[in-house]
């Protein structure tokens, strides 16, 4: 199995954290291809920054979505909490595209009734709340707690705020009634392992959840979207797209069109 793991921000330090946790989490026979967004921002805190990141992620998925020198992939992990571009990115390719937010929320929902999200900034909280509500889990959200200090560097958040993050996690359990804690965001990748045993409820790492959920969904071999809400976009005139993106859209639309008569015949 080959998974494409995409960091939707431009920070190489964050990509290194993502890759380290992804390697620790993946099955021995899973090959990982880890990529960093070609354009965007250092770290994503807002809906608009997410919008920018979505385009960068789409370009990388398009590059790998057809058999070429890249060899294709079996699944994609969008490795930023908030899932930039999701669920729209599921319309672009035949392989499963899993966001670490949806993976972490699913993992949390399987382990407890109410969960709390621990975030790296106050500004990021409204976007995260949108994501939880989009997945229909707003009623199970105990709280979103966050660091309310300026960050020194996005790659050193764990080191700089480890005790703060631990305290926020414990508060979520003791004061908010969380059955599960989600350490949100790629900059916190691997911290759940380090804090193991120090928080009295299950702790979910988004990167780890994303990798393991992607492996599971790929292994299910459920088939691609050819109709419904996540079918490829209808063919129409377009202009200014990169060659990779245009080719990926054409391939997806052609596959859906070819499948339509077979579906109708049944």
């Amino acid at each position: 199995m080959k998974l494409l793991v995409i960091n939707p921000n431009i920070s190489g330090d964050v990509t290194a954290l993502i890759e380290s946790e992804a390697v620790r989490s993946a099955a021995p026979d899973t090959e990982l291809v880890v990529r960093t967004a070609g354009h965007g921002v250092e770290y994503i805190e807002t809906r608009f920054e997410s919008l920018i990141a979505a385009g960068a992620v789409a370009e990388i998925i398009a590059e790998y979505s057809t058999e070429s020198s890249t060899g294709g992939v079996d699944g994609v992990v969008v490795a930023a909490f908030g899932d930039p571009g999701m669920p729209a990115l599921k319309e672009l390719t035949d392989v499963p595209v899993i966001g670490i937010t949806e993976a972490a929320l699913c993992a949390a929902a399987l382990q407890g009734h109410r969960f709390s999200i621990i975030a790296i900034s106050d500004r990021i909280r409204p976007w995260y709340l949108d994501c939880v509500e989009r997945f229909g889990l707003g009623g199970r959200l105990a709280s979103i707690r966050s660091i309310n200090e300026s960050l020194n560097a996005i790659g050193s958040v764990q080191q700089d705020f480890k005790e703060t993050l631990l305290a926020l996690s414990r508060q979520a359990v003791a004061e908010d009634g969380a059955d599960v804690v989600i350490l949100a965001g790629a900059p916190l990748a691997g911290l759940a392992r380090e804090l193991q045993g120090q928080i009295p409820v299950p702790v979910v790492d988004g990167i780890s959840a994303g990798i393991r959920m992607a492996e599971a969904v790929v292994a299910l071999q459920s088939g691609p979207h050819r109709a419904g809400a996540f079918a490829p976009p209808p063919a129409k005139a377009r202009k200014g797209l990169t060659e990779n993106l245009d080719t990926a859209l054409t391939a997806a639309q052609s596959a859906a069109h070819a499948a339509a008569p077979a579906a109708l015949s049944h």
Side-chain angles (χ1 to χ4, degrees):
M1 182 184 303
K2 185 176 181 180
L3 297 180
L4 173 62
V5 184
I6 305 172
N7 173 15
N9 70 49
I10 62 170
S11 171
D13 289 342
V14 173
T15 302
L17 290 170
I18 291 169
E19 184 163 18
S20 293
E21 181 59 24
V23 168
R24 288 193 292 262
S25 301
D29 59 347
T30 296
E31 178 184 353
L32 301 173
V33 179
V34 184
R35 294 283 304 272
T36 306
H39 65 270
V41 297
E42 181 184 11
Y43 60 99
I44 305 163
E45 290 184 278
T46 72
R47 300 173 187 88
F48 184 73
E49 291 172 343
S50 173
L51 180 65
I52 296 170
V57 172
E59 291 291 350
I60 296 174
I61 293 175
E63 181 183 343
Y64 285 83
S65 64
T66 57
E67 292 294 333
S68 64
S69 59
T70 63
V73 294
D74 300 300
V76 178
V77 177
V78 180
F81 213 83
D83 296 351
M86 298 286 283
L89 293 168
K90 297 178 187 288
E91 301 175 17
L92 180 60
T93 179
D94 277 352
V95 303
V97 182
I98 306 297
I100 65 169
T101 309
E102 61 183 359
L105 293 176
C106 287
L110 288 170
Q111 297 182 80
H113 180 66
R114 287 167 59 78
F115 57 87
S116 286
I117 295 172
I118 309 302
I120 63 172
S121 78
D122 287 342
R123 183 66 178 90
I124 214 166
R125 292 171 67 181
W127 174 38
Y128 282 3
L129 180 58
D130 283 354
C131 293
V132 174
E133 290 178 342
R134 188 179 78 234
F135 287 113
L137 293 172
R140 297 178 67 175
L141 177 66
S143 62
I144 300 177
R145 289 183 174 261
S146 57
I147 298 169
N148 62 1
E149 302 175 49
S150 299
L151 306 183
N152 299 317
I154 193 61
S156 64
V157 172
Q158 294 186 41
Q159 292 78 13
D160 297 340
F161 294 100
K162 178 181 176 182
E163 293 306 317
T164 300
L165 293 162
L166 178 58
L168 291 171
S169 298
R170 288 171 169 170
Q171 288 167 3
V173 177
E175 301 174 22
D176 307 328
D179 304 312
V180 183
V181 167
I182 299 172
L183 296 178
L188 302 186
L191 184 60
R193 293 177 187 270
E194 191 173 342
L195 297 181
Q196 188 170 15
Q198 299 182 57
I199 300 168
V201 299
V203 182
V204 174
D205 180 297
I207 299 300
S208 178
I211 295 296
R212 298 303 285 176
M213 292 287 187
E215 289 176 329
V217 173
V218 170
L220 286 173
Q221 297 184 337
S222 303
H225 293 283
R226 292 288 182 254
F230 296 110
K236 62 189 70 170
R238 51 185 183 248
K239 180 180 179 181
L241 302 186
T242 62
E243 182 178 354
N244 280 334
L245 194 53
D246 190 69
T247 299
L249 274 171
T250 298
Q253 290 162 346
S254 296
H257 178 73
L264 289 173
S265 68
H266 288 82

